[in-house]
Amino acid sequence: ASDLGLDKEENRISRRAKLIEAEGIIKKLCEEQDYATFLDVSSSFRVEGENYSNKRYFVSDGVHLNSEGYKVWAEVINNAFKEN
């Protein structure tokens, strides 16, 4: 199965599920503190209506952002500073 790339895809889905769970925990912790704000950046990289990332924003490892991904990341962060 790993020769067909199935294990890699299953691992990607598993990592995404763990990331979503971690984001929920971090968001809750931020909501409990006056000095912390949760900034949801990862949803900008998801396929619309789905819980997985759009591969177009990442290099071939599926983890690190490519130049297009960094543009989206920077825009989200810049907008958050403009709002506050």
Side-chain angles (χ1 to χ4, degrees), residues 8-68:
K8 184 177 179 181
E9 184 66 14
E10 288 175 14
N11 285 335
R12 187 179 71 81
I13 292 168
S14 175
R15 285 193 316 263
R16 183 71 195 133
K18 289 176 185 175
L19 177 60
I20 291 170
E21 181 181 357
E23 287 173 346
I25 293 168
I26 295 167
K27 182 178 181 179
K28 184 176 183 228
L29 290 171
C30 289
E31 290 170 349
E32 294 171 353
Q33 306 300 321
D34 292 337
Y35 58 85
T37 301
F38 178 77
L39 181 58
D40 178 10
V41 178
S42 69
S43 66
S44 298
F45 301 111
R46 291 187 196 137
V47 172
E48 188 174 332
E50 301 293 338
N51 274 336
Y52 56 89
S53 299
N54 189 327
K55 293 180 182 180
R56 77 180 219 198
Y57 297 119
F58 298 87
V59 296
S60 61
D61 68 3
V63 175
H64 297 93
L65 296 173
N66 61 23
S67 60
E68 187 176 356

Side-chain angles (χ1 to χ4, degrees), residues 39-42 44-45 57 65-83:
L39 181 58
D40 178 10
V41 178
S42 69
S44 298
F45 301 111
Y57 297 119
L65 296 173
N66 61 23
S67 60
E68 187 176 356
Y70 275 111
K71 288 177 187 176
V72 172
W73 179 79
E75 183 179 331
V76 171
I77 292 173
N78 285 331
N79 287 339
F81 280 104
K82 289 177 186 175
E83 292 174 6

